[in-house]
Amino acid sequence: MPKPVIQSTSILKHSLHTVGITLLLVYAAFTTAQSRQPVHLPVPGGLVLLAMESDHRPEVQFEGRRVMVLEGDSQNQWMAVVGISLAHLPGTYAVQVDGLKSISFDINPKDYETQYLTVTNQRQVNPTADDLVRIRREKAEMDRTFVNWDDSADPVTAFILPTRGVVSSSFGLRRFFNDQARSPHSGLDLAAAEGVAIVAPARGKVTATGDYFFNGNTVLLDHGHGLISMYCHMSRINVTPGDIVAAGELLGAVGRTGRVTGPHLHWSVSLNNARVDPNLFLAE
Ligand SMILES: [Zn+2]
């Protein structure tokens, strides 16, 4: 597990001219008090944890989207948790705090491995025009869920594994289906026998379920504060939209619906609409 390090001297530079709030590097305080905080990994597909000080809960935005903010253990201390998508290039970025000031941070490069997959169903590699209409409709439904903001409950910062399986494809793989380049792997694949239970990795609200073209039988869970998780290729779905589930509660079962080469759970985790490595939220 990489040791979280808050980099960026620019944070200090910005904090010298504060407007209403004071931003400080107080990372150490969080590592001891919140043992179940997500892992800081400033790469595409990773998470950036930014400590700050404020006399109120700061509203933090990244590229116009609200970002999860955790309460610190001592007074006036906060930690923004920023999801970084696989599409972000390495470089310097910034979050906005209360619309008043910005804190910059660096995203470092990461080389993800390449994976070649063979899919026998040609339509799942080169969909027909009708399929594309369906794919676009389903994508819109999923996208709406990924951008939802619900802060009615405390933030969820750690997950348990949603199923008993072995990792068959890690997050971020650069993918080729039948030798054609496709989007990188935006989740974690856990291979298990068909019918093995899939459970909620944390408290959440079921926001969508469906039988999607690529993802097969799918459940989307909203954990609040921009943290959304998705379960795909299920053989069975045991929940309906609107259900509130607790950690460990049954969502359905592992299957092989949609575009698959064998039974497995594809598990995606999204933070501020960035698909990030689910491992970063797994309790050690
Ligand atoms: Zn997958």
Side-chain angles (χ1 to χ4, degrees):
M1 204 56 88
K3 256 272 168 282
V5 178
I6 286 290
Q7 77 285 46
S8 187
T9 49
S10 46
I11 297 176
L12 279 172
K13 194 171 64 199
H14 283 290
S15 67
L16 294 177
H17 45 88
T18 52
V19 187
I21 58 167
T22 313
L23 302 156
L24 288 173
L25 295 173
V26 285
Y27 191 83
F30 289 90
T31 54
T32 50
Q34 291 192 347
S35 55
R36 301 195 76 200
Q37 71 178 19
V39 175
H40 173 75
L41 182 64
V43 299
L47 300 173
V48 171
L49 274 60
L50 294 169
M52 54 193 69
E53 194 165 279
S54 167
D55 59 7
H56 59 277
R57 178 185 285 273
E59 186 174 319
V60 180
Q61 294 207 348
F62 178 52
E63 297 180 339
R65 203 165 289 291
R66 274 189 86 170
V67 160
M68 176 185 280
V69 176
L70 307 179
E71 212 165 321
D73 58 316
S74 33
Q75 214 187 354
N76 295 344
Q77 288 184 5
W78 308 88
M79 176 77 77
V81 186
V82 188
I84 308 299
S85 80
L86 283 166
H88 277 92
L89 298 173
T92 302
Y93 294 81
V95 292
Q96 279 66 48
V97 184
D98 288 334
L100 291 172
K101 65 195 292 54
S102 64
I103 308 176
S104 63
F105 59 89
D106 290 332
I107 298 177
N108 304 321
K110 174 164 182 173
D111 280 327
Y112 289 101
E113 284 174 29
T114 302
Q115 184 183 40
Y116 295 90
L117 293 163
T118 303
V119 176
T120 49
N121 183 340
Q122 282 303 321
R123 268 178 68 188
Q124 290 177 339
V125 180
N126 295 303
T128 66
D130 283 351
D131 292 338
L132 288 171
V133 171
R134 175 181 165 192
I135 289 164
R136 271 194 287 271
R137 189 182 62 233
E138 293 170 354
K139 183 176 183 301
E141 185 171 307
M142 287 182 271
D143 286 350
R144 274 197 299 279
T145 295
F146 284 126
V147 299
N148 194 44
W149 181 266
D150 176 358
D151 55 11
S152 56
D154 288 338
V156 163
T157 57
F159 287 144
I160 58 170
L161 267 176
T163 194
R164 292 170 188 274
V166 294
V167 174
S168 54
S169 279
S170 54
F171 171 87
L173 293 173
R174 295 183 295 153
R175 284 190 143 176
F176 290 80
F177 284 92
N178 302 358
D179 291 327
Q180 298 179 46
R182 289 294 179 267
S183 302
H185 192 220
S186 58
L188 177 69
D189 285 356
L190 297 165
E194 194 155 350
V196 171
I198 297 171
V199 300
R203 167 185 56 73
K205 180 181 183 180
V206 179
T207 44
T209 64
D211 175 12
Y212 299 134
F213 186 82
F214 289 122
N215 292 340
N217 289 324
T218 298
V219 171
L220 284 134
L221 281 185
D222 189 341
H223 305 282
H225 299 257
L227 181 63
I228 318 292
S229 61
M230 179 169 74
Y231 307 81
C232 304
H233 312 308
M234 299 165 78
S235 59
R236 191 183 72 232
I237 293 176
N238 287 68
V239 289
T240 49
D243 287 355
I244 305 287
V245 291
E249 208 170 315
L250 189 68
L251 299 178
V254 173
R256 48 181 311 148
T257 54
R259 185 174 66 184
V260 293
T261 55
H264 72 278
L265 168 66
H266 171 100
W267 179 30
S268 280
V269 171
S270 178
L271 186 65
N272 51 268
N273 199 30
R275 266 37 112 213
V276 298
D277 189 346
N279 277 310
L280 304 176
F281 280 91
L282 284 175
E284 286 179 75

